[in-house]
Amino acid sequence: METTLPTVLLKPGEADRIVAGHPWIYSGSILRITQPPEDGELVQVKDHRQRLLGTGLFNSKSKIHVRMLSPDRVELDAAFFEERIRSALDVRRRHQPGATSFRVVNSESDLLSGLIVDKYGDVLVLQTSSLGMDRRKGLIVQVLQKILSPRSILERSDTASRKFEGLETSNGVLAGEPVESVEANLNGLKFRVDLQEGHKTGMYLDQQVNHRLVGELAKGRTVLDCFTFLGGFAIHAAKAGAKQVLGLDQSESAIAAAKNHASVNGVESTTTFEQANVFDWLKSHTTTGPNDRLVHSFDLIVLDPPSFTRNRASVPDALRGYKEIHLRALKLLRPGGILATFCCSHHVDAKLFEDVALSAAFDQRRLLRRIATYSQSPDHPVLPSIPETEYLKGAAYEVVR
Ligand code: SAH
């Protein structure tokens, strides 16, 4: 096999990033290719002095010409995928013991660039975002069946990035019976996940740990959960003993689902959901007439908006959006209240995000004490050598005055 693999040689200076563990090779890093590989095929990669850097999957249509899979010469057979998926599962068992719904494989951060597998109870949802992985779907499905014996394996390959790989959207059933929705248990609470229409592959598993941690801050408090989606933070807060919880989302179907979750988890009496645009709602609840005084009416506010930016160019606009909701949330917080705030954009790092919170606090003449910092749950591992693997960050601030 070794002699037949096409070889991609890198330009001088381009090898270090790969040696450090970053799996992407852009066309601009390539010196030459010995024999033209077919798109989706395995190639070996060497530095300009012909030293082996490893093997990866090739795609001339993508800006990422090679996605590295191993520093060694490997064969992409069932044994390879089984080893990778089992070691990904071990990470989850170590760091999220007891979880029954979680991300099984998170692409680059599990050394399987282009492959995502989510587990919602006994149903798996697979998503590929590279041609190489897409071609190997059948093999991956067999391995998943062997390791996890799921009731069904569905496909939700509908990310916009697939077009950069020359791939169309592909949704459907890969194994087992069709399933429209499934009940997932998160931290002992029940959530119904819409596997056809829900965000990502159905829901935000990356917040699972934070749902619990923020919920624990909610005991006895009046809570506002902005951008609640299925009610994740709201239901956890209510279950943890919040006095009263209000969740807001602009999506009608999300609000209907969140209401259902309040009822199946037995927190209807303290929990309310309202369909609203958060920007408008916060504005109308913080705008006072000339002789009115604003009533600070919440003592825990959660801000978990969608990513306001998909690229670096739109970061300034995104920051204005984040600032706006922080300002208004601070107006509504009682002294001693807590603001738990999240940012899921890779392009806004924790420091920049904290600057937004501080700038809003300055404008409101409020002083904040940071009492917690948050990241994505451990089933979305962060590999610092691959900066793109880190995207979710958050913090909880207590209002000192
Ligand atoms: N907090 C959720 C995830 C939020 S995802 C969780 O923990 O699971 C972002 C949500 O914001 C989506 O449900 C989307 O419908 C909603 N959304 C986006 N823009 C909005 C806006 N301007 N006002 C209200 N909701 C909005």
Side-chain angles (χ1 to χ4, degrees):
M1 179 197 87
E2 290 167 26
T3 47
T4 58
L5 273 189
T7 304
V8 173
L9 289 168
L10 299 192
K11 289 179 184 166
E14 299 291 335
D16 278 1
R17 215 166 50 99
I18 304 306
V19 173
H22 202 295
W24 297 348
I25 298 174
Y26 292 101
S27 51
S29 304
I30 296 176
L31 184 67
R32 73 193 153 81
I33 301 175
T34 56
Q35 45 176 309
E38 266 180 50
D39 287 344
E41 207 185 296
L42 197 64
V43 292
Q44 59 180 345
V45 177
K46 295 183 173 178
D47 72 5
H48 67 290
R49 293 209 177 105
Q50 302 271 358
R51 285 176 295 211
L52 182 74
L53 297 171
T55 39
L57 286 166
F58 183 82
N59 185 2
S60 66
K61 290 198 187 66
S62 168
K63 271 205 279 191
I64 303 173
H65 260 37
V66 183
R67 293 167 183 266
M68 296 300 287
L69 286 171
S70 171
D72 304 312
R73 281 197 185 87
V74 289
E75 210 171 320
L76 292 194
D77 52 11
F80 170 84
F81 284 105
E82 183 169 343
E83 189 271 320
R84 284 285 152 98
I85 295 170
R86 283 196 192 278
S87 62
L89 275 169
D90 282 345
V91 174
R92 279 70 182 163
R93 292 201 179 109
R94 277 201 301 281
H95 301 291
Q96 273 179 279
T100 53
S101 292
F102 53 85
R103 178 155 291 187
V104 178
V105 174
N106 190 43
S107 199
E108 282 77 20
S109 53
D110 289 302
L111 315 183
L112 287 169
S113 179
L115 177 67
I116 282 175
V117 180
D118 284 343
K119 177 179 182 307
Y120 298 105
D122 57 1
V123 175
L124 299 179
V125 184
L126 180 144
Q127 185 171 78
T128 60
S129 59
S130 76
L131 177 69
M133 284 297 167
D134 200 73
R135 290 260 176 93
R136 287 160 182 83
K137 252 173 350 203
L139 188 58
I140 295 165
V141 164
Q142 281 175 26
V143 170
L144 288 169
Q145 283 176 308
K146 177 176 173 197
I147 302 179
L148 288 161
S149 319
R151 170 159 63 107
S152 289
I153 304 180
L154 309 181
E155 178 171 27
R156 259 302 279 283
S157 293
D158 55 4
T159 54
S161 63
R162 276 173 68 91
K163 68 171 182 288
F164 303 123
E165 294 274 327
L167 293 166
E168 310 270 317
T169 290
S170 172
N171 293 340
V173 181
L174 296 172
E177 67 203 48
V179 190
E180 273 181 21
S181 75
V182 65
E183 188 178 276
N185 184 305
L186 305 182
N187 305 305
L189 302 181
K190 295 177 198 140
F191 290 87
R192 183 141 290 276
V193 184
D194 181 340
L195 299 169
Q196 325 272 315
E197 305 287 338
H199 295 193
K200 296 207 180 193
T201 65
M203 74 183 314
Y204 294 88
L205 290 166
D206 53 2
Q207 288 284 29
Q208 183 164 196
V209 168
N210 300 331
H211 282 154
R212 178 173 56 76
L213 294 173
V214 172
E216 285 166 4
L217 299 173
K219 195 165 192 297
R221 292 180 185 259
T222 304
V223 179
L224 176 64
D225 179 17
C226 298
F227 310 94
T228 190
F229 188 41
L230 304 180
F233 286 105
I235 305 291
H236 279 79
K239 203 72 186 178
K243 204 193 299 169
Q244 219 149 33
V245 183
L246 172 60
L248 304 175
D249 201 287
Q250 69 183 8
S251 149
E252 189 181 345
S253 58
I255 289 298
K259 284 180 176 166
N260 173 46
H261 294 147
S263 127
V264 296
N265 291 292
V267 292
E268 282 160 299
S269 59
T270 50
T271 313
T272 315
F273 290 100
E274 210 178 298
Q275 188 188 350
N277 179 312
V278 166
F279 286 85
D280 297 343
W281 192 97
L282 287 174
K283 197 167 183 183
S284 70
H285 286 76
T286 49
T287 308
T288 44
N291 300 314
D292 299 340
R293 271 197 75 194
L294 190 80
V295 185
H296 298 293
S297 43
F298 294 95
D299 30 35
L300 171 61
I301 299 183
V302 181
L303 298 175
D304 182 28
S307 173
F308 290 151
T309 163
R310 297 259 169 248
N311 54 50
R312 219 161 269 292
S314 60
V315 165
D317 280 342
L319 295 180
R320 270 189 290 280
Y322 288 122
K323 168 108 185 249
E324 162 86 8
I325 53 177
H326 282 77
L327 258 177
R328 303 211 179 259
L330 285 172
K331 282 189 194 223
L332 289 173
L333 265 185
R334 294 198 186 108
I338 296 173
L339 178 65
T341 179
F342 294 91
C343 170
C344 61
S345 168
H346 165 68
H347 299 288
V348 177
D349 67 14
K351 174 74 179 73
L352 189 55
F353 189 52
E354 179 150 89
D355 285 346
V356 172
L358 287 185
S359 150
F362 178 86
D363 290 1
Q364 290 301 313
R365 300 294 183 266
R366 302 201 98 168
L367 183 64
L368 303 179
R369 174 190 300 122
R370 190 174 62 211
I371 55 166
T373 54
Y374 306 111
S375 179
Q376 57 221 47
S377 294
D379 55 342
H380 296 61
V382 175
L383 271 54
S385 298
I386 313 171
E388 294 84 356
T389 58
E390 184 170 26
Y391 62 98
L392 182 63
K393 75 273 331 172
Y397 301 99
E398 227 164 38
V399 176
V400 178
R401 60 164 192 257

